Amino acid sequence: MSGSFMDYAMPRAELMPAMSVAHHPVACRTNPLGVKGTGEAGTTAAPPAVINAILDALPEGAQLDMPATPERIWQALQRG
């Protein structure tokens, strides 16, 4: 919908407010190691975001299940 990133008002470092980061470690009491299981927390939003991006590119009303293989995308295009 645009020619390049120059068409967007992309934020720059000097526009960001000053931030401070503080850590407050609290050991888990239900685990012998005291650790909490959040290792994959940063990746849980990636697959739905990719599927939504593909669905935005497909005709309106198209449906697509994971995994989004080239064949499934092609079939969704043919149905749409």
Side-chain angles (χ1 to χ4, degrees), residues 26-70:
V26 177
C28 179
R29 296 182 202 156
T30 59
N31 184 312
L33 297 175
V35 297
K36 299 174 184 173
T38 61
E40 60 277 337
T43 62
T44 56
V50 170
I51 294 296
N52 282 331
I54 294 170
L55 286 172
D56 285 346
L58 292 174
E60 188 174 337
Q63 294 184 352
L64 182 67
D65 291 326
M66 289 176 48
T69 62

